[in-house]
Amino acid sequence: MIPLRKNIAEMAGYVPGFQPKNPQEWIKLNTNENPYPPSPQVIEAIMREIGSDGEILRQYPDAASKDARQAAADLYGFDADWLIMANGSDELLNNLIRAFANEGDEVAYVEPSYSYYSTLIEIQGAKSHTFTLDDQYKLAGFPERYNGKLFFLTSPNAPLGCAFSLDDIDDLAHRCNGMLVVDEAYADFAAENALSLVKKHENLVVTRTFSKSYALAGMRLGLAVAHPQVIAALDKIRDHYHLDRLALVAAEAALRDQKYLKQRVGEICATRDWFTGQLIALGYSVIPSQTNFVFASPADGDGQRVYELLKQHKILVRYFSDPQLSHALRISIGSREQMDAVLEVLERNC
Ligand SMILES: *Cc1c(COP(=O)(O)O)cnc(C)c1O
């Protein structure tokens, strides 16, 4: 017998979104990747860092991510000690649990939202609690005071695409005795974000990813904004060289090219709003989205049927067998041409 910890031996492990073997043969709208390349400044920065011979790669990267951290601080209007960079926002979610929850402590998240929270909670040996949403997509049954060590609120929500209001988030921060983590993976596509609330609540953490809006899922980059004492704790427990040299220069260049970000986000939001209208014309119900995907249900409420249909046409979208979600599909917003291809299949088979 290999002497594993009991909760590790018993847990299933996270299953990431399907990545096909020959991605170029597919229209891939299942993991909310960006259809456009990252900023040309990012490519330039990476090339510059590698140089002609890659000699620099002998040397360890900056353990403090100083330049990237400063670029984020400048952008969001915080001092640098309110910010930490990360190897994907997944690293932050993991380290937040490690920093705040002992074995057996309660950690909460919304169902439906990002299923990785429950995996991370299992690894820590903490206890999961879930809150559900009512038919207005507002939190149902959240107590006047919540005593769990952490509450992960995905806003805008994935896979639904709708956002919680700032008033609601403000109120939740008051009601949480533990930490409120607002996972803002999709905030760049949304009308508002919770950054202004971070200065007001020392128990509020905002996490961001470069995987969606910045088109850098392959670089593994994220960041968090929180009170300096929270950031100092996250700084203590991370791997010291968690970001490689190429990721660091990519992050800094991406953050400093907001013009490019805004242009691409604008294109994706325009495609999203147009695509939503087209789906509604085909009889789908679509939740108004503040993200780079839509959650859309066909008139017969059979998500799996449409998933299989699109798959036959080499189009991959996300279907969830969970009975709460199986009536619909999560479709990432690709280029206008890719969404036209989706509509063409759906028009012939609605
Ligand atoms: C994509 C996503 C993440 C993961 O981001 P990475 O930076 O790629 O680790 C976290 N939370 C939500 C809600 C996401 O959709």
Side-chain angles (χ1 to χ4, degrees):
M1 263 281 279
I2 294 171
L4 283 170
R5 285 167 62 208
K6 186 162 172 289
N7 51 331
I8 305 299
E10 286 172 359
M11 66 182 282
Y14 181 73
V15 184
F18 176 61
Q19 299 287 358
K21 250 201 213 105
N22 302 309
Q24 64 288 350
E25 292 173 10
W26 292 83
I27 295 182
K28 204 175 158 304
L29 304 174
N30 67 331
T31 52
N32 300 340
E33 288 150 336
N34 197 307
Y36 303 111
S39 156
Q41 311 264 351
V42 168
I43 313 307
E44 247 176 64
I46 290 172
M47 296 305 203
R48 204 180 317 123
E49 180 72 4
I50 298 178
S52 55
D53 54 6
E55 165 72 7
I56 195 74
L57 296 178
R58 281 186 311 104
Q59 297 176 17
Y60 281 109
D62 171 21
S65 306
K66 201 164 160 293
D67 295 341
R69 203 185 263 217
Q70 190 57 51
D74 293 346
L75 174 62
Y76 298 129
F78 285 82
D79 287 337
D81 59 348
W82 287 71
L83 268 133
I84 184 169
M85 302 301 298
N87 189 328
S89 69
D90 286 348
E91 183 197 18
L92 294 163
L93 306 176
N94 186 13
N95 285 344
L96 282 161
I97 293 177
R98 291 209 287 163
F100 287 98
N102 278 308
E103 238 175 285
D105 282 346
E106 181 171 303
V107 176
Y109 56 94
V110 174
E111 208 157 68
S113 70
Y114 189 35
S115 62
Y116 191 47
Y117 308 129
S118 75
T119 304
L120 293 170
I121 294 166
E122 282 183 90
I123 293 170
Q124 183 71 352
K127 214 170 56 196
S128 275
H129 183 82
T130 55
F131 290 103
T132 53
L133 300 174
D134 64 19
D135 51 9
Q136 304 295 308
Y137 306 115
K138 289 198 159 229
L139 267 185
F142 198 82
E144 218 26 66
R145 303 277 342 155
Y146 178 61
N147 280 320
K149 297 295 175 184
L150 291 144
F151 175 38
F152 289 99
L153 184 76
T154 317
S155 187
N157 179 280
L160 302 180
C162 48
F164 295 90
S165 76
L166 287 191
D167 282 346
D168 286 353
I169 294 172
D170 190 35
D171 179 49
L172 282 173
H174 281 295
R175 285 156 76 168
C176 283
N177 287 338
M179 300 299 293
L180 173 63
V181 181
V182 187
D183 180 343
E184 289 196 334
Y186 300 97
D188 287 325
F189 303 101
E192 44 182 26
N193 65 67
L195 281 180
S196 63
L197 296 176
V198 171
K199 285 188 176 147
K200 204 173 147 190
H201 299 283
E202 49 184 43
N203 67 334
L204 198 153
V205 183
V206 168
T207 62
R208 295 282 180 92
T209 176
F210 290 62
S211 298
K212 280 84 186 215
S213 55
Y214 286 100
L216 288 170
M219 288 306 291
R220 310 306 305 130
L221 281 164
L223 63 84
V225 187
H227 190 277
Q229 281 179 32
V230 175
I231 296 298
L234 293 172
D235 242 336
K236 266 195 241 178
I237 61 179
R238 66 178 168 82
D239 289 351
H240 33 265
Y241 296 122
H242 59 160
L243 295 181
D244 64 66
R245 283 183 170 277
L246 305 187
L248 284 173
V249 296
E252 185 188 356
L255 289 165
R256 295 216 186 273
D257 194 357
Q258 287 299 302
K259 189 166 162 234
Y260 183 87
L261 177 81
K262 291 212 175 83
Q263 187 202 322
R264 290 309 198 187
V265 164
E267 286 173 67
I268 291 167
C269 291
T271 304
R272 173 192 73 197
D273 296 344
W274 161 80
F275 182 68
T276 299
Q278 298 291 307
L279 283 178
I280 290 171
L282 288 175
Y284 279 68
S285 1
V286 188
I287 300 175
S289 170
Q290 303 226 27
T291 63
N292 67 337
F293 59 83
V294 292
F295 194 70
S297 171
D300 67 358
D302 189 349
Q304 188 161 21
R305 176 186 64 84
V306 182
Y307 168 80
E308 299 292 351
L309 171 72
L310 289 168
K311 199 168 169 190
Q312 281 164 21
H313 290 83
K314 290 275 177 190
I315 298 170
L316 268 184
V317 298
R318 190 75 188 260
Y319 165 72
F320 303 91
S321 58
D322 176 338
Q324 253 193 105
L325 303 171
S326 61
H327 61 289
L329 295 169
R330 191 193 69 189
I331 307 174
S332 307
I333 301 300
S335 64
R336 177 77 184 230
E337 295 70 37
Q338 290 176 317
M339 304 326 281
D340 262 327
V342 173
L343 290 169
E344 205 177 297
V345 175
L346 296 183
E347 267 159 23
R348 282 188 275 117
N349 305 272
C350 54

